[in-house]
Amino acid sequence: MVSKKGKSNQNIERIQVKNVNVYYGSNHAIKNVSMDIKEKRVTALIGPSGCGKSTLLRSFNRMNDEIVGCRTEGSIIWGGIDILDDKVDPVPLRRKVGMVFQKPNPFPKSIYDNITYGPKIHGIREKEMLDKIIEKSLKDAAIWDEVRDRLGDSAMSLSGGQQQRLCIARTLAIEPEIILMDEPCSALDPIATAKIEDLINQLKKNYTVVIVTHNMQQAARVSDYTGFFYLGELIEYGKTKQIFENPKMELTENYMTGRFG
Amino acid sequence: MRKIWNTNNSKVANKGNPFHLKLNLREKIIVALLFSAASVAIIVSAAIIYTLAEGSFSFFTAPEVNILEFFTGSRWVPSGSEPSFGILPLLAGTTLIAGGALLIGAPVGIASALFLSEFAGKRLRSILKPIIEVLAGIPSIVYGFFALLFISPILRECFGASYFNASSAIIVIAIMVLPIIVSISDDAMKAVPNHLRESSRALGATKWETSTKVVIPAASSGITASILLGLARALGETMVVTLAAGSVARLTLNPLEEVQTMTAYIAQVATGDIPPGVAVSAAFAVGLVLFMITYTVNTIAGRIVVRIKTGTTAKGKKLRHNENKLIVTISRFIGYISGSIVKITYNVKIKLKFIKNKIIKTKTLTLGRRYRKERIGVTAIGMCLVIVSIFLVLLLSNIITEGIGGINGNFLTSFPSYRPSKAGIFPVIMGSVYLMLLTMLFAAPLGVGAAVYLNEFAKDTRYTRFLRRIIQNLAGVPSIVFGLMGLAIFVRLFDFGPSLLSGSLTLTIMVLPIIVVTTEEALKSVPHGFREAARGVGSTKWQTVRHHVLPNATPGILTGIILSLSRAIGETAPILFIGAVFAKTAPSGVFDGFLALPLTIFFWTRHPKAEFHTLAASTILVLLVILLSMNIVAIIIRQRAQARREW
């Protein structure tokens, strides 16, 4: 799409979030948030529990549509299209905007079937191509060496960390342009977390990553940009270094220094 | 990490605006189909109401009938030279039997539930719970057989009851409503949060005191609902009353006499004992009254159940207080009366003493007395379950000893006959098998489709809520009313005649709500994460359902279908109007008449000759073996799925 133009300018504003409001019934979960997500960068959304960061994340691939009673206003412009528009079909959108969930949620099928599920429903049938996709996405997700000999095994037999990397591979297999991660490490041990974080650093070469995290060290380690949310509002947004070392808002500073949260 | 397929010029990517809503025709057609499957419930309900209204209309407009007399008259003599249609005797019969059954069934049921929920350990529970489930699985025709040929003779001997009598039906129906009361009360008691029990125990209450003073009051709305649902079941019960209570409508409350209930009258019409004419259309008017009564009872119970389910939210707390008022008042009233009786009989002396001394002493119960109370209480409620188990053992052993001798190759392979020594049930078994297969053919797609629509696609609209309510109500319609509807719609309106097709369609409607409910449960058990993951990689809703939800829910769905079919194969009342009395051969096409196992049991049980009672018992054994094997298959499917399940 606009990627040709995008490559010439490093910081082209790829995804423009404009005045987004999200309501769950009468609960105003996201209050008038506007921000620009940069292409091929990792953007972290941080803030205390219930501040709305996951809700905003789920707006990028319209996952909120699946929740009964959830209403979204405003617009998210990507490549000249408002993806929050009713006319936009979330199904093809999600082929371009992949998502990794908080809890590893592999399908109770073989590793092979987990990875090929996405490409298959999008019409890929040739075995050669599928095999290529399998190898590539598992390698990209840094799990190929661990599972190459047992692709037919159930995905449920993997450890939690492996399952999460499998889920990332499953997302990579649909070759999206944006990858959304909703606290991808919260259910994992430190070693598995380190692996996922390395992976995120690799991913930003080719993907735009938006990650929600509870862990501020993690945000500092993996992200280029950070947005701090509090009670549904975007308090501060900027380069990660600036947010962590020199926050402009007192609220951000208080959160960073652990005075609440 | 270069892309290898999902690029803009790859063949799977969309041209132009990549995210424009594509008109996905396939998906739309599927959703439309599922939507129509769910909407069948509305058509069915409309058909039932139309049937009853139309029949009642032609009854009330008949010259012999007077509406006022219908509701106030105390004579119900449908045939003869001077017919009279006053429904009071039928109402009295129904009240006597349902009320009597509940009078026994409710206390025994609540006591059993209390024992199961609070006192039975895990192992005891795993023995006792199946006993209750077996009771629920026995077809009502079997209970009818037992009431007429086992209970009734005892009552005749001991109390001088007449041949047909209300009390035998009351006793048996009390056992039949037990499973409903026990399972719903047990659920309600188990739903009482543990911290309530703990705080009661921490204050020094015994287990018994905690159960009666904390758990039962907290579960009171669930218990009320269970009693109401049991009442609806008792009101709608047909086969037991038809067989055991008799067919003479009499305005009496003496349980030793013969009475006729509303359901029994409809059944009497169905079996052709009533000459055609007004007396037949009277069945529709009686059906309408019965329908309205059970509808009201079920609706009240349903509301209570819904409130309990939502009662866990902060909002629901308010509701709880309000709706408990009734039961609290009732229990206070009962407590007051029993309390005063106790006072009068035991405490008068002590009280007098207090007054004499003019000192009001605080009387504390000794620990020993409190423990004795607990022992007596637990023993008493445990005895309820022992009695229920004895009943089950008696029922089964009676049928086995009566019927086992009659089962041989000849019995299974030959045809029914007037000579009991030659009679067999080959075409009957075939009729039941065909009936079941055809019912499955209709009911499984409809029921599963409706459940998939409701659980996966339906938004929370007014229409969806209406649909849910309709399906819930359909589940509570007495089975004989389905029979009336089958007669009016399938046999007459569609002109399918008294055929296999009409029979299976009627049974389809009866089992539809059961399949919807069990399928929805199976769908709900599939973790939400699977749906999110599938949607997250860009599956459509239907792809998500077909690839992930349905495969993982299949064992649960299959189990539900098998169990509902085992319900269908044992049902007598709905096909009473349709099944043939005489069919010499097994049906060879869907428009052929048919005989079914429960129908044959019914006719042979009613037969005056005792040899036919033996044949009925043998047929019951065959039916029970079929039911048992279906249940075993369902259990095996469930257990294998659980063992294999990875989530």
Side-chain angles (χ1 to χ4, degrees):
Chain A
M1 285 177 299
V2 284
S3 52
K4 274 174 220 147
K5 268 188 279 170
K7 261 162 205 153
S8 62
N9 184 348
Q10 254 197 341
N11 284 340
I12 183 165
E13 282 153 6
R14 210 25 218 282
I15 312 161
Q16 292 174 290
V17 179
K18 281 185 183 168
N19 307 324
V20 168
N21 284 287
V22 183
Y23 305 83
Y24 292 116
S26 58
N27 176 22
H28 197 170
I30 290 281
K31 293 169 187 159
N32 212 23
V33 168
S34 297
M35 65 195 295
D36 293 333
I37 308 277
K38 310 284 193 293
E39 189 205 14
K40 308 259 161 94
R41 291 289 178 272
V42 178
T43 303
L45 310 180
I46 62 170
S49 304
C51 69
K53 48 197 192 311
S54 289
T55 306
L56 182 68
L57 190 79
R58 293 167 64 95
S59 306
F60 287 106
N61 67 343
R62 298 263 302 270
M63 235 23 213
N64 286 330
D65 288 17
E66 312 293 318
I67 297 170
V68 177
C70 182
R71 190 160 50 86
T72 310
E73 289 166 2
S75 51
I76 297 179
I77 311 286
W78 180 33
I81 295 162
D82 177 8
I83 58 174
L84 293 186
D85 192 334
D86 282 343
K87 286 190 208 100
V88 167
D89 186 348
V91 170
L93 171 70
R94 288 173 192 154
R95 190 193 299 169
K96 298 284 184 189
V97 187
M99 184 161 193
V100 177
F101 296 86
Q102 185 170 2
K103 242 181 81 196
N105 54 357
F107 301 127
K109 297 174 178 234
S110 68
I111 294 169
Y112 187 94
D113 288 341
N114 262 280
I115 305 293
T116 55
Y117 178 71
K120 268 184 181 161
I121 58 164
H122 292 130
I124 304 243
R125 289 276 174 272
E126 303 89 345
K127 179 133 196 334
E128 269 168 67
M129 185 56 137
L130 288 174
D131 286 346
K132 247 200 251 172
I133 292 171
I134 288 268
E135 187 174 342
K136 182 173 181 301
S137 40
L138 286 172
K139 272 182 177 161
D140 288 352
I143 189 180
W144 173 249
D145 292 333
E146 290 156 67
V147 299
R148 59 187 303 175
D149 302 322
R150 47 184 185 126
L151 293 177
D153 285 12
S154 167
M156 295 297 183
S157 64
L158 299 174
S159 71
Q162 287 174 324
Q163 285 189 5
Q164 192 62 307
R165 275 179 288 148
L166 179 79
C167 290
I168 293 176
R170 188 174 64 190
T171 307
L172 296 178
I174 56 170
E175 304 198 327
E177 296 182 21
I178 303 172
I179 296 177
L180 309 172
M181 294 187 169
D182 190 358
E183 301 190 29
C185 302
S186 68
L188 305 182
D189 62 68
I191 295 166
T193 301
K195 281 188 179 163
I196 305 272
E197 285 181 12
D198 284 345
L199 181 57
I200 294 170
N201 274 321
Q202 295 292 313
L203 289 176
K204 72 177 177 191
K205 289 176 193 155
N206 293 281
Y207 299 90
T208 306
V209 177
V210 184
I211 178 170
V212 162
T213 175
H214 244 103
N215 179 334
M216 281 190 290
Q217 277 75 34
Q218 184 171 60
R221 283 193 299 263
V222 301
S223 69
D224 305 299
Y225 292 86
T226 297
F228 170 62
F229 287 79
Y230 185 64
L231 298 177
E233 285 178 78
L234 177 61
I235 304 298
E236 193 169 353
Y237 177 51
K239 289 207 161 140
T240 300
K241 210 172 167 209
Q242 176 251 310
I243 295 273
F244 276 81
E245 287 170 10
N246 190 17
K248 292 191 184 104
M249 308 294 285
E250 205 191 328
L251 204 57
T252 318
E253 195 178 344
N254 288 345
Y255 183 69
M256 297 294 169
T257 50
R259 261 171 241 166
F260 74 94
Chain B
M1 290 194 181
R2 270 190 48 229
K3 297 200 169 188
I4 53 179
W5 65 274
N6 193 2
T7 53
N8 286 332
N9 50 8
S10 86
K11 61 167 188 176
V12 288
N14 297 327
K15 299 247 164 68
N17 185 336
F19 311 134
H20 246 196
L21 193 61
K22 277 196 309 177
L23 192 118
N24 191 338
L25 196 63
R26 223 173 86 108
E27 182 104 359
K28 281 198 171 158
I29 291 172
I30 288 165
V31 176
L33 283 175
L34 296 173
F35 175 80
S36 358
S39 302
V40 164
I42 291 183
I43 301 170
V44 167
S45 301
I48 290 175
I49 291 167
Y50 166 79
T51 303
L52 295 176
E54 202 252 6
S56 306
F57 182 77
S58 69
F59 170 70
F60 285 124
T61 49
E64 305 91 312
V65 181
N66 175 336
I67 287 201
L68 190 70
E69 196 206 321
F70 179 74
F71 286 107
T72 57
S74 56
R75 276 185 70 234
W76 184 268
V77 188
S79 56
S81 53
E82 231 179 282
S84 165
F85 297 96
I87 201 173
L88 288 184
L90 294 185
L91 275 175
T94 305
T95 312
L96 172 66
I97 287 181
L102 228 54
L103 218 57
I104 304 171
V108 174
I110 296 167
S112 307
L114 188 66
F115 186 82
L116 281 173
S117 157
E118 307 296 316
F119 297 98
K122 230 181 176 178
R123 261 189 61 195
L124 198 54
R125 204 183 148 84
S126 68
I127 302 168
L128 293 174
K129 205 87 211 266
I131 290 179
I132 305 289
E133 277 159 20
V134 167
L135 283 177
I138 294 175
S140 63
I141 186 74
V142 180
Y143 283 105
F145 175 90
F146 189 66
L148 180 66
L149 299 177
F150 187 83
I151 305 275
S152 193
I154 295 175
L155 294 173
R156 267 177 265 152
E157 277 296 305
C158 302
F159 302 102
S162 56
Y163 185 82
F164 295 109
N165 56 69
S167 42
S168 55
I170 289 173
I171 292 169
V172 166
I173 294 176
I175 298 290
M176 291 172 74
V177 299
L178 263 185
I180 298 176
I181 295 178
V182 172
S183 67
I184 296 172
S185 295
D186 182 37
D187 285 348
M189 288 175 196
K190 267 190 298 181
V192 172
N194 228 359
H195 64 81
L196 288 182
R197 289 186 189 89
E198 277 168 4
S199 49
S200 166
R201 295 302 300 275
L203 289 171
T206 62
K207 223 176 167 184
W208 175 252
E209 286 157 351
T210 305
S211 306
T212 51
K213 297 193 172 113
V214 175
V215 177
I216 288 187
S220 62
S221 31
I223 295 171
T224 318
S226 79
I227 294 173
L228 287 176
L229 291 170
L231 175 65
R233 173 89 175 81
L235 288 171
E237 174 45 42
T238 308
M239 298 327 293
V240 172
V241 288
T242 306
L243 281 174
S247 53
V248 177
R250 221 179 271 175
L251 195 58
T252 174
L253 285 177
N254 181 356
L256 298 177
E257 279 186 49
E258 178 174 6
V259 296
Q260 189 171 39
T261 66
M262 294 191 276
T263 50
Y265 178 71
I266 304 174
Q268 196 186 3
V269 171
T271 51
D273 297 346
I274 294 279
V278 198
V280 171
S281 56
F284 288 88
V286 172
L288 186 64
V289 174
L290 176 69
F291 177 77
M292 289 198 291
I293 294 172
T294 51
Y295 177 84
T296 312
V297 173
N298 273 318
T299 308
I300 297 171
R303 288 229 176 118
I304 296 174
V305 171
V306 167
R307 281 188 193 172
I308 297 164
K309 275 184 187 158
T310 52
T312 45
T313 61
K315 258 188 186 172
K317 269 188 182 166
K318 254 188 186 169
L319 283 171
R320 270 203 150 177
H321 284 297
N322 288 338
E323 48 115 6
N324 270 355
K325 262 183 195 159
L326 179 73
I327 185 94
V328 166
T329 324
I330 294 171
S331 46
R332 267 195 201 142
F333 180 68
I334 295 170
Y336 176 76
I337 290 179
S338 54
S340 39
I341 292 170
V342 169
K343 264 182 208 157
I344 290 162
T345 46
Y346 296 102
N347 289 3
V348 172
K349 264 189 186 170
I350 300 169
K351 250 193 175 172
L352 286 174
K353 231 181 190 174
F354 282 152
I355 297 163
K356 235 185 205 170
N357 298 342
K358 304 242 160 138
I359 303 163
I360 294 159
K361 282 182 187 166
T362 322
K363 203 182 79 189
T364 54
L365 291 168
T366 61
L367 200 58
R369 267 185 81 176
R370 288 170 62 200
Y371 276 135
R372 203 162 61 226
K373 214 170 154 190
E374 172 163 282
R375 273 201 307 276
I376 295 168
V378 176
T379 316
I381 60 174
M383 278 310 287
C384 287
L385 277 161
V386 172
I387 292 167
V388 171
S389 313
I390 290 173
F391 183 94
L392 180 68
V393 170
L394 275 180
L395 186 148
L396 291 179
S397 60
N398 174 249
I399 284 164
I400 291 171
T401 49
E402 276 264 321
I404 194 81
I407 293 188
N408 51 44
N410 184 43
F411 180 67
L412 295 175
T413 53
S414 52
F415 295 86
S417 162
Y418 287 113
R419 269 176 294 173
S421 57
K422 277 188 150 186
I425 54 166
F426 176 71
V428 182
I429 297 177
M430 293 319 287
S432 268
V433 168
Y434 288 145
L435 197 61
M436 191 170 63
L437 291 178
L438 221 54
T439 303
M440 185 172 74
L441 200 68
F442 298 131
L446 274 181
V448 174
V452 167
Y453 177 78
L454 285 174
N455 203 53
E456 306 291 331
F457 291 91
K459 297 201 173 77
D460 189 26
T461 61
R462 195 171 288 182
Y463 182 76
T464 312
R465 284 195 294 269
F466 176 65
L467 213 57
R468 283 187 183 282
R469 188 124 45 88
I470 287 276
I471 290 172
Q472 202 195 340
N473 286 334
L474 218 49
V477 173
S479 53
I480 190 78
V481 173
F482 287 116
L484 279 172
M485 183 235 168
L487 173 73
I489 303 290
F490 300 126
V491 177
R492 292 191 188 155
L493 190 69
F494 291 175
D495 205 15
F496 292 156
S499 61
L500 204 55
L501 186 63
S502 299
S504 53
L505 285 171
T506 309
L507 288 176
T508 296
I509 286 165
M510 198 199 75
V511 299
L512 200 57
I514 311 175
I515 297 187
V516 173
V517 170
T518 50
T519 305
E520 266 207 273
E521 260 162 37
L523 296 174
K524 283 202 181 102
S525 74
V526 177
H528 192 67
F530 296 172
R531 294 182 183 86
E532 273 201 322
R535 299 289 275 154
V537 294
S539 322
T540 64
K541 257 190 172 163
W542 171 244
Q543 281 172 328
T544 309
V545 170
R546 199 177 52 127
H547 297 147
H548 303 287
V549 181
L550 281 180
N552 286 308
T554 304
I557 295 173
L558 274 182
T559 312
I561 291 175
I562 293 174
L563 293 181
S564 59
L565 285 180
S566 75
R567 169 87 200 281
I569 199 178
E571 270 293 340
T572 325
I575 51 172
L576 210 52
F577 285 101
I578 300 163
V581 186
F582 312 104
K584 276 279 165 200
T585 52
S588 56
V590 292
F591 289 107
D592 281 4
F594 67 96
L595 263 173
L597 288 167
L599 283 176
T600 308
I601 297 167
F602 176 67
F603 293 126
W604 280 344
T605 305
R606 270 166 38 121
H607 206 284
K609 273 193 198 157
E611 289 98 321
F612 283 99
H613 300 164
T614 310
L615 288 177
S618 304
T619 317
I620 288 175
L621 273 183
V622 173
L623 178 63
L624 289 182
V625 166
I626 294 175
L627 290 180
L628 188 70
S629 34
M630 286 173 75
N631 277 276
I632 289 174
V633 169
I635 289 168
I636 290 173
I637 291 177
R638 192 186 300 161
Q639 279 179 346
R640 276 182 62 178
Q642 262 162 10
R644 263 201 241 143
R645 182 145 98 182
E646 296 170 303
W647 34 276

